Amino acid sequence: MIVDSVDVLALARDAAAVGADMLASARPATVRLKGDRDYVTDLDLEIERTVREYLAAATPDFSFLGEESAGHDVGGEYRWVLDPIDGTSNFVHGIPLCAVSLALLRGDTTVVAAIVAPFLGQAFHASRGGGSYANDEQIFASGVRQISSAMVSIGDYAVGPDAPGKNVERLKVTAALAGQAERVRMLGAASLDLAWLAQGRTDGCVILANKPWDTAAGVLLAREAGAVINDALGDPHSLSAATTVGSASIELAQSMVDLLIASWT
C-alpha cells in the first residue's frame, strides 16, 4: 500500500521486525509496576522509542500512539499505533507468547498491520483489501461454525482499579465458554489471540477490553483472513468498542454473542 510515495506496508513490516529483533536479543534489565500487577520494562520503552524514530524518519507527517508514550500523540489523518511488547508479563516470565504489534490507521480504520512474535518464529502482516499473511504465506480463518468444535481464547483477567468487579464478569464468561466450547485457552497477548484466529489455530477469541495498541493490528489481520470481529453485543467492532470478540464464521459469531449475553444475564 502506497501512501504519499511511501510503501507503508513494507515500512510497517520492517519497523515491527526492528522491534522484534530487539525483543529477541535482550532480557529486561529493569521491571517496574505501572499499576496493579501491570508491568513495564526498560525494553518496552526502548523498543517504542526506536520504532517511533524509525517510522518518523519515513513518515514525519504521521502521528503516533504508543502504549508506553507519555502524552500520547494522537490526531491527524494517519496514525501509527504500537504495542512494543504485547504480553509483557509473558516476556518477563520467559513465556514465548509475546509480540510487537504495529498498525497504521487512517482516521479510525486500520489500513496496515504487522505483528511479529520472534520467539515463535512468526511474522504476520495484512493490508486493507490485501489479505492476511504469516511468514509470507496467505492465511485464512478456520471457518468453524459450531461452538462445540471451537478452540476459543480469552483475554487476560482484569488488574488495577475495579479488578474484582470486572473479573466477576470475566469468570462468568470463562465458565460459559468452558461449558460449550471444545477448549478454552488464555494466551496473554491480544495480538496473538487475533493472529491465531486469522491463522486458523484458534476459532474464536473473547477480549473484554479494546485498547487500540492491543487490537488495531490484530483486528485487520483477522478480518482480512475471513474472521468476523464484533463487540460483545454483536455490533461490528470499532476502535470505540468496549470489547473485542472474534469468530471464524458468521454462525459462530452469533453463538458467541448469545453465549456472552446469556452469561451476563
Side-chain angles (χ1 to χ4, degrees):
M1 179 175 290
I2 306 298
V3 176
D4 296 334
S5 301
V6 176
D7 185 340
V8 290
L9 177 58
L11 177 61
R13 295 180 66 186
D14 289 346
V18 167
D21 286 345
M22 296 173 66
L23 177 58
S25 61
R27 294 293 300 166
T30 302
V31 179
R32 62 177 173 83
L33 286 171
K34 61 179 180 179
D36 172 36
R37 293 167 290 164
D38 190 10
Y39 295 99
V40 63
T41 72
D42 58 324
L43 191 57
D44 288 87
L45 302 173
E46 185 179 353
I47 290 173
E48 183 161 314
R49 181 173 57 253
T50 300
V51 172
R52 181 174 189 164
E53 291 173 355
Y54 188 94
L55 295 168
T59 54
D61 295 330
F62 291 9
S63 62
F64 180 91
L65 173 63
E67 181 180 10
E68 310 302 341
S69 297
H72 289 162
D73 178 11
V74 298
E77 182 180 8
Y78 288 98
R79 179 179 14 158
W80 293 107
V81 179
L82 174 70
D83 192 336
I85 308 178
D86 184 28
T88 297
S89 288
N90 284 349
F91 172 64
V92 168
H93 289 277
I95 297 171
L97 298 177
C98 49
V100 177
S101 180
L102 178 65
L104 177 64
L105 276 60
R106 183 177 186 181
D108 289 336
T109 300
T110 305
V111 295
V112 161
I115 297 170
V116 183
F119 302 114
L120 303 177
Q122 291 206 302
F124 302 90
H125 71 271
S127 59
R128 187 171 174 82
S132 293
Y133 297 83
N135 294 350
D136 292 317
E137 293 188 6
Q138 191 166 10
I139 56 175
F140 301 93
S142 69
V144 164
R145 297 181 179 184
Q146 302 294 326
I147 195 167
S148 60
S149 301
M151 177 80 76
V152 181
S153 66
I154 187 167
D156 279 341
Y157 294 127
V159 296
D162 303 322
K166 292 177 181 177
N167 283 329
V168 168
E169 304 302 315
R170 283 160 170 75
L171 289 166
K172 288 179 181 178
V173 171
T174 303
L177 285 169
Q180 295 192 38
E182 178 188 334
R183 290 291 187 276
V184 181
R185 297 288 183 260
M186 182 178 285
L187 306 181
S191 62
L192 294 179
D193 286 317
L194 291 157
W196 282 11
L197 172 63
Q199 199 175 19
R201 290 188 176 210
T202 60
D203 310 298
C205 64
V206 178
I207 305 166
L208 298 181
N210 184 34
K211 300 296 187 183
W213 44 83
D214 288 333
T215 60
V219 165
L220 178 65
L221 197 78
R223 281 179 168 160
E224 287 294 324
V228 179
I229 313 295
N230 293 323
D231 65 15
L233 298 178
D235 295 322
H237 180 275
S238 67
L239 285 183
S240 61
T243 54
T244 308
V245 180
S247 308
S249 66
I250 294 173
E251 295 85 355
L252 182 59
Q254 186 60 57
S255 296
M256 295 275 281
V257 169
D258 291 345
L259 179 148
L260 290 169
I261 292 175
S263 73
W264 290 325
T265 59

